[in-house]
Amino acid sequence: MIQLQHIERVFQVGDEEVHALSDVTMSAESGEYIAIMGPSGSGKSSLLNILGLLDRPDGGSYELDGLRVSGLNEKEQARIRRHKIGFVFQFFHLVPRLTAFDNIALPLKLSGMTREERQTRVTAALSAFGLGNRAQHRPDQLSGGQRQRVAIARATIMQPSLILADEPTGNLDRHAGVEVAEILEELNHQGITLIMVTHDPDLGRRAHRRILMVDGRIDHDSSRTRT
Amino acid sequence: MSHIQARDFFRYTINGLRAQRLRSVLTATGIAVGIGAVVLLTSLGTGLHHFVLAEFSQFGTNLIAINPGKVTTHGISGALISNVRPLTIEDGEALGRLPQVLDVVSVVQGNAEVTGGGRQRRTTVYGVGAAAPRVWNIGVATGRFLPDDPPRAARAFAVLGHKVRQELFGSTQALGMRVRIGGETFRVIGSMESKGQLLGFDIDDAVYIPTSKAMALFNQESLMEIDLLHATSSSSAAVAEQIRKVLQSRHNSEDFTITTQEKMLEVLDGVLGTLTIAVGSLGGISLLVGGVGILTIMSIAVNERTGEIGLLRALGVERSQILTLFLGEAVALAAIGGVVGLGLGIGGSRLFSLLVPALPSHTSWGYVIAAELLAILVGLVAGVLPARRAAGLHPVEALRAE
């Protein structure tokens, strides 16, 4: 499903070149559950941004579902993000002035779906994520765990094939964190590819495959050692 | 299925504005004040325009004035060099023989002391002929106007303007009384109806005497103006051409200026139109300030909502759609402010006409629509910079902002 070949990402900091990613090659099958781990500054977020088409590599190629997406223009990449990729962030990134319902409906709205269709899909998502009685609450009226559940509902409402989660439990207490991890794993069970960045070893252990990043390189990939 | 529906786009925009209600209201108020000022000022300008044109066109559009000297706008600024032949009573008579010309008045004007009924008054004295009431469209109240005497041998009769009659004779009989103007005695044979003021000139404060008498009184060799009325069946331009030919053959050169009322109204119309636009532009300055307000607020909004912009990009919103979104908010602010401003301006001008009936105001729909379009344009221009900044943000950087 995912094929990264010799990905390079270089940032210019002052007059020094910083290699956020150098020669990263990896692949992932559909339905995998991968944790990208490593110390801060190791390039794990950069890798996630490349995977999510939020950033462009300076070298190498990226194939998603057989399509060479690294060569697409901004519009086409936006389209792929819209339909294939769901994002879950550490700080939830909910729109503060919108209700839980409207936050979840946002991707549907942006893709031009009618109000009636949205209504049924969002209502179903709300109850599926245990938010049935929180539909009209704004983010500041929700707990951290509830906020992240709204964010996950939003990430999955377009039925993407890939979920990218950047420290999804990083801003939650232990209990809420486990709950969120279980929800993400349940989605993975249903066949969605789940890739998450974390430096929480407990969360990392739950993943089926762990990729350890050090200094912009893949230092260790559990799938390679196993096979 | 790839583009947000217009209704949802509109809602999202309004939602963004409502989230910062006070700020949005204040910003829109800036535009409202600007548009209100534009509408109010152009309403007053247009009202004045209509008023002045109405005042002038009461003379009719078939009036032509001839003045001595050629006004030109090229060469040496010696419009009145020595070889100008003055206009004479005979010139006036010659023009009166033109078939299209209905009436001719040879005019000399000056200020003089008028004594009568035991009182004195300094007033405007017009040397005119019998046709003056017809040409100038003023009516005789009592008695009659100057008779059609031979121009060079007119009798010493005087007709008093409404105000002069009131001031000198009050409620007593003026007809048949004698008045002294300059050194000469005139017999009052009539008085005129009140015409009120015309652009600040009190045309009732006047005395009419025969042209030749006025020339002697003011020691004038020639006429100051010839006014004539032509048949409405022929165009002013055609009659003016006839006049030019007659006078040219009498003077051997074009040393006179013909002003048709039609042309004058046209010029006046142009001047007043420009004035209205100029006054409206003054209101436009406050609109500009309102535009700066939108620019500021939208810049702040882009800063505050950087995280949201990052999110929208992650959700697959294209850069151009981010641009449209923020432009939309700026335009919505301006358009809403504009509508409120239209209300303020129209209401204000109505109130103005109510309080000061003498100063007419007239709200022209053309200006109203133009003002609203202007408000939208201001929003668009003010929104471009912040919206471009929003669209130019890198999604990764934007997501990191929260």
Side-chain angles (χ1 to χ4, degrees):
Chain A
M1 179 199 195
I2 288 170
Q3 195 82 50
L4 291 184
Q5 299 276 356
H6 311 296
I7 294 292
E8 301 282 336
R9 185 70 176 105
V10 184
F11 291 105
Q12 195 78 32
V13 180
D15 34 63
E16 218 180 309
E17 284 194 341
V18 177
H19 286 257
L21 295 173
S22 40
D23 196 21
V24 172
T25 297
M26 67 160 278
S27 58
E29 295 304 316
S30 186
E32 272 200 83
Y33 176 10
I34 303 172
I36 301 173
M37 308 187 65
S40 28
S42 60
K44 52 191 195 302
S45 287
S46 296
L47 180 57
L48 200 74
N49 289 335
I50 300 276
L51 286 170
L53 295 174
L54 292 174
D55 198 12
R56 283 173 183 275
D58 296 305
S61 75
Y62 174 17
E63 254 181 45
L64 180 64
D65 288 338
L67 182 67
R68 219 188 113 109
V69 290
S70 46
L72 297 179
N73 67 24
E74 190 258 330
K75 251 182 141 85
E76 293 162 326
Q77 289 198 346
R79 211 184 121 73
I80 288 176
R81 284 201 298 274
R82 193 154 61 223
H83 293 285
K84 289 199 170 172
I85 305 172
F87 292 90
V88 177
F89 306 97
Q90 180 178 4
F91 297 103
F92 324 129
H93 276 292
L94 300 178
V95 180
R97 59 175 189 280
L98 297 181
T99 61
F101 184 99
D102 285 334
N103 264 292
I104 296 170
L106 195 53
L108 302 178
K109 228 184 238 194
L110 294 170
S111 66
M113 187 179 279
T114 64
R115 205 178 152 79
E116 294 69 33
E117 272 182 282
R118 288 200 309 253
Q119 184 72 34
T120 43
R121 291 236 330 233
V122 175
T123 309
L126 278 165
S127 58
F129 288 96
L131 294 161
N133 55 353
R134 291 284 182 274
Q136 296 311 315
H137 289 56
R138 277 201 308 274
D140 57 4
Q141 298 163 316
L142 298 172
S143 72
Q146 288 169 334
R147 289 184 208 185
Q148 195 60 301
R149 275 186 276 156
V150 171
I152 295 170
R154 180 182 63 196
T156 51
I157 197 79
M158 292 290 286
Q159 297 167 336
S161 51
L162 172 65
I163 285 188
L164 300 174
D166 192 354
E167 303 278 9
T169 61
N171 210 33
L172 300 174
D173 61 44
R174 183 127 210 106
H175 174 73
V178 169
E179 201 180 72
V180 162
E182 280 168 357
I183 289 172
L184 289 171
E185 282 159 11
E186 172 56 29
L187 291 167
N188 175 243
H189 263 293
Q190 293 164 16
I192 301 177
T193 311
L194 174 62
I195 299 179
M196 68 171 132
V197 160
T198 183
H199 54 232
D200 174 1
D202 289 339
L203 185 60
R205 262 193 294 278
R206 299 174 71 115
H208 305 149
R209 176 180 167 194
R210 280 166 298 281
I211 293 173
L212 180 67
M213 299 284 298
V214 175
D215 290 339
R217 295 172 189 277
I218 294 181
D219 189 71
H220 182 82
D221 187 336
S222 64
S223 73
R224 280 187 210 158
T225 47
R226 222 182 288 145
T227 50
Chain B
M1 263 275 292
S2 78
H3 279 279
I4 183 165
Q5 294 190 347
R7 194 180 57 177
D8 288 326
F9 177 83
F10 184 71
R11 282 215 185 143
Y12 195 81
T13 303
I14 295 302
N15 190 288
L17 296 179
R18 276 177 53 184
Q20 294 285 348
R21 205 161 307 180
L22 178 67
R23 203 160 83 182
S24 300
V25 165
L26 289 177
T27 312
T29 304
I31 293 292
V33 168
I35 289 294
V38 169
V39 171
L40 181 63
L41 289 172
T42 53
S43 291
L44 293 178
T46 314
L48 187 73
H49 189 163
H50 285 212
F51 175 73
V52 170
L53 282 193
E55 288 279 290
F56 269 86
S57 41
Q58 68 180 342
F59 290 114
T61 50
N62 54 339
L63 184 71
I64 295 180
I66 301 124
N67 296 89
K70 179 70 188 163
V71 180
T72 51
T73 44
H74 53 81
I76 318 143
S77 72
L80 295 164
I81 0 177
S82 55
N83 65 347
V84 170
R85 238 209 258 170
L87 290 172
T88 61
I89 292 178
E90 287 71 30
D91 285 335
E93 289 185 313
L95 293 176
R97 285 191 288 272
L98 280 169
Q100 302 95 328
V101 173
L102 302 176
D103 285 304
V104 178
V105 189
S106 301
V107 188
V108 173
Q109 182 207 330
N111 268 290
E113 198 85 33
V114 180
T115 317
R119 295 184 197 169
Q120 272 194 353
R121 182 171 182 82
R122 194 152 192 85
T123 186
T124 311
V125 174
Y126 288 99
V128 293
R134 292 193 294 278
V135 175
W136 290 345
N137 202 16
I138 11 176
V140 178
T142 55
R144 56 195 173 89
F145 202 71
L146 300 173
D148 200 6
D149 283 344
R152 293 284 182 191
R155 286 164 287 171
F157 289 144
V159 177
L160 306 182
H162 181 78
K163 187 157 190 181
V164 174
R165 204 211 85 90
Q166 289 293 323
E167 292 294 326
L168 294 184
F169 296 99
S171 53
T172 65
Q173 182 62 265
L175 287 183
M177 304 299 284
R178 281 169 204 287
V179 290
R180 285 188 72 81
I181 304 172
E184 215 178 324
T185 306
F186 292 81
R187 187 139 64 85
V188 177
I189 59 166
S191 67
M192 307 302 285
E193 281 173 353
S194 173
K195 283 285 273 191
Q197 298 202 338
L198 174 65
L199 298 178
F201 294 103
D202 191 349
I203 53 177
D204 291 338
D205 196 358
V207 173
Y208 304 88
I209 59 173
T211 311
S212 55
K213 294 285 182 195
M215 285 168 81
L217 178 67
F218 298 121
N219 210 9
Q220 289 278 330
E221 298 283 304
S222 60
L223 302 179
M224 291 175 171
E225 184 170 305
I226 297 172
D227 287 347
L228 57 83
L229 209 58
H230 67 82
T232 43
S233 53
S234 36
S235 81
S236 291
V239 178
E241 197 44 47
Q242 294 284 335
I243 293 167
R244 190 186 318 280
K245 275 188 191 145
V246 170
L247 288 181
Q248 216 152 12
S249 72
R250 291 175 63 86
H251 291 202
N252 294 321
S253 70
E254 193 172 328
D255 53 2
F256 49 86
T257 304
I258 301 171
T259 315
T260 66
Q261 182 78 356
E262 208 173 73
K263 191 85 189 166
M264 214 167 86
L265 283 173
E266 247 171 59
V267 171
L268 205 61
D269 192 50
V271 168
L272 291 168
T274 311
L275 187 80
T276 305
I277 289 172
V279 169
S281 309
L282 283 179
I285 293 174
S286 47
L287 195 58
L288 196 73
V289 176
V292 173
I294 290 190
L295 176 68
T296 311
I297 286 302
M298 289 312 295
S299 298
I300 293 173
V302 170
N303 268 336
E304 285 174 348
R305 284 159 65 185
T306 301
E308 182 187 330
I309 294 164
L311 169 78
L312 289 174
R313 293 296 299 279
L315 293 181
V317 172
E318 293 159 20
R319 204 176 284 192
S320 60
Q321 290 174 310
I322 299 279
L323 185 86
T324 319
L325 188 71
F326 280 90
L327 264 188
E329 283 195 19
V331 168
L333 267 179
I336 293 167
V339 169
V340 173
L342 292 184
L344 284 179
I346 294 170
S349 82
R350 292 271 154 83
L351 193 71
F352 210 92
S353 334
L354 223 66
L355 296 178
V356 195
L359 231 166
S361 83
H362 183 272
T363 308
S364 132
W365 286 107
Y367 278 117
V368 167
I369 291 164
E372 182 61 18
L373 289 179
L374 188 64
I376 289 170
L377 185 73
V378 165
L380 209 58
V381 170
V384 163
L385 230 60
R388 280 179 60 112
R389 214 169 60 76
L393 285 172
H394 193 286
V396 173
E397 300 289 329
L399 281 167
R400 206 175 288 157
E402 213 164 297

